[in-house]
Amino acid sequence: MSAREGGSEGAVVQSRSQEPQAIELPWTTVEHYLGRGLGASYRLSAVDDPLVSYEIADGGRGIALHVELTGRHHAPRSPLSAVRVDNILHAGRRMVRLTTPESELLRDFHDLALAVADRIVVEGRDLARAFDETVHGWSALLGRTRGLSLERRLGLHGELAVLVRLAESSGWRAAIDAWVGPAGEEHDFALESADLEIKTTASERRRHTVHGLGQLAESPGRSLWFASLRVTRGGTGGRTLGESVKAARDAAAAESIASRVRLDRLLSATGWDPDQSDDERWTPRDSPLVLRAVDMPRLTPGDLPAAAQGRIDGVTYRVDVTELPPAAETRPIDLSDLRLP
């Protein structure tokens, strides 16, 4: 299987004489192109069959599955807000393009796109049936846990980066003492004189999900700081969550076995599972934006009307801090040029 860079035609994966085989396109290959901003095209169907191709957009802007329509075949309707289905013309061919507008879900969309393509190329389904069968099969699995969610995996990446930075300045014993989020505390880190909440996103904008009215509320007598981290897909130069965990564990063990044991307990409390599938690589997009919580848009228990006090809980909302000015005063921890462990 080969690809093009810069827009040329991709190579044929299967010839007409070959028996159809299960489609294989490792995510690591796709991530290589995304991380370098290079376009690529993989033809998945045989040369004499209607075109089915996997497309990686130039500039790392996303991925798509292209399927040629023939005869009276038509584009399916997508019941999923995270999957778009568009009719397009490509090189004079009537095509359907499957994409996702959610950049954080590219890895999951990759699996779905290949599952649809496999049903078309290998099993001989038309696009509408292949798409419906894939969506139905995946929907049946929605109630089953698949490990940490993407939001939580990115969040753990960010917390580990801050933990290692703190350990570099204060030692692992103090750093582990400060990491109180896994123990069920409201905020991620309890520093000497302030609390710190970490949020990590793979989106272009610094848009983060806040869980509960207390997550951005100060504890009595302590200031609360908020750090917005942005990561991007790093290709071979990025770090998987497993690699970050290993680097943190090795660094803690270098100080003392007791520190590594304590770190392992906290990692277990976050839901980290070393056997979980782990092939997404990330790298920081830029330095974190650090704010005082009182200077950013937020909801706290004091914002509820008196009649709602004690009667509303479980509040979840999204806050966008893009382009807000960073805090001018001295911060409790220096997070400039933060790197993943």
Side-chain angles (χ1 to χ4, degrees):
M1 185 180 295
S2 63
R4 53 91 179 167
E5 295 182 15
S8 61
E9 183 71 18
V12 175
V13 175
Q14 300 176 4
S15 69
R16 188 65 166 172
S17 61
Q18 291 175 321
E19 287 295 323
Q21 298 178 352
I23 293 171
E24 294 185 4
L25 178 55
W27 172 251
T28 51
T29 300
V30 177
E31 197 169 43
H32 167 83
Y33 286 96
L34 290 173
R36 284 161 176 73
L38 300 175
S41 179
Y42 290 86
R43 179 163 185 155
L44 306 178
S45 56
V47 64
D48 295 327
D49 287 342
L51 178 62
V52 179
S53 67
Y54 186 106
E55 305 292 328
I56 305 173
D58 292 319
R61 291 178 289 108
I63 57 180
L65 181 70
H66 287 187
V67 180
E68 183 178 3
L69 292 179
T70 59
R72 296 184 178 181
H73 292 162
H74 58 86
R77 291 185 178 182
S78 175
L80 309 173
S81 61
V83 178
R84 289 187 54 178
V85 178
D86 299 302
N87 289 284
I88 63 171
L89 284 176
H90 177 70
R93 294 173 171 175
R94 189 166 62 102
M95 308 281 291
V96 170
R97 178 177 61 203
L98 304 183
T99 58
T100 179
E102 304 291 342
S103 61
E104 295 182 356
L105 297 179
L106 285 182
R107 177 64 179 88
D108 298 288
F109 176 75
H110 165 82
D111 290 339
L112 182 140
L114 290 188
V116 173
D118 194 80
R119 281 184 164 90
I120 297 172
V121 173
V122 179
E123 301 178 22
R125 306 282 201 267
D126 62 64
L127 171 61
R129 182 177 175 186
F131 183 77
D132 289 345
E133 286 181 355
T134 303
V135 170
H136 177 77
W138 281 38
S139 297
L141 297 174
L142 288 180
R144 304 179 188 179
T145 181
R146 213 180 58 151
L148 293 175
S149 66
L150 175 63
E151 177 189 340
R152 192 66 197 101
R153 295 197 304 272
L154 291 179
L156 184 53
H157 245 318
E159 290 174 40
L160 284 173
V162 174
L163 179 70
V164 171
R165 174 63 61 88
L166 188 60
E168 289 172 347
S169 61
S170 304
W172 274 99
R173 181 175 179 179
I176 292 173
D177 285 343
W179 193 24
V180 296
E185 296 296 328
E186 198 74 66
H187 307 124
D188 294 321
F189 289 88
L191 307 177
E192 185 175 348
S193 59
D195 296 325
L196 177 65
E197 185 66 29
I198 309 295
K199 293 291 183 181
T200 305
T201 181
S203 299
E204 290 286 338
R205 298 190 64 82
R206 295 183 182 276
R207 186 178 293 118
H208 304 284
T209 301
V210 180
H211 301 279
L213 294 172
Q215 195 166 47
L216 294 182
E218 297 90 346
S219 299
R222 295 175 62 82
S223 60
L224 175 62
W225 291 74
F226 181 91
S228 167
L229 281 61
R230 293 196 302 177
V231 296
T232 187
R233 297 185 185 277
T236 56
R239 304 283 285 176
T240 68
L241 180 56
E243 289 171 342
S244 287
V245 168
K246 182 180 184 303
R249 293 181 73 246
D250 289 347
E255 180 176 286
S256 73
I257 296 301
S259 291
R260 192 189 68 184
V261 170
R262 292 183 63 206
L263 176 58
D264 285 345
R265 289 174 182 158
L266 291 176
L267 287 169
S268 179
T270 69
W272 162 251
D273 180 358
D275 296 325
Q276 181 181 334
S277 176
D278 180 32
D279 58 2
E280 291 182 286
R281 294 183 174 275
W282 304 96
T283 190
R285 186 186 296 268
D286 47 24
S287 287
L289 172 65
V290 181
L291 307 165
R292 287 282 301 272
V294 294
D295 297 329
M296 60 181 289
R298 60 175 181 161
L299 294 175
T300 67
D303 295 317
L304 293 178
Q309 295 286 342
R311 296 183 178 274
I312 292 180
D313 59 13
V315 174
T316 299
Y317 62 96
R318 301 186 75 184
V319 59
D320 191 335
V321 296
T322 309
E323 298 173 354
L324 288 182
E329 56 257 70
T330 302
R331 299 154 194 185
I333 181 175
D334 179 16
L335 298 182
S336 58
D337 298 321
L338 189 68
R339 64 186 184 277
L340 301 182

